[in-house]
Amino acid sequence: MITLGVVLLVLGFLLGIPILWTLGIIALVVGAALALLGALGRPVAGRAHYY
């Protein structure tokens, strides 16, 4: 999800589409939060890994 966020950010910047920029930021933040929780060993929604 972090990779998807970065790709959306780059595409939004290069193509000048603000909704891609916004979705990229959201995907990046959610992906980072889930990765952090997974790295700490906390189960996310009952699973140790979100993927």
Side-chain angles (χ1 to χ4, degrees):
M1 189 171 280
I2 295 172
T3 306
L4 175 66
V6 171
V7 169
L8 288 174
L9 281 173
V10 170
L11 286 176
F13 179 74
L14 293 177
L15 298 175
I17 302 173
I19 192 69
L20 288 180
W21 183 261
T22 305
L23 290 175
I25 291 172
I26 292 170
L28 191 64
V29 169
V30 170
L34 290 174
L36 181 64
L37 286 174
L40 292 175
R42 303 266 314 163
V44 177
R47 305 188 73 154
H49 302 285
Y50 69 92
Y51 51 86

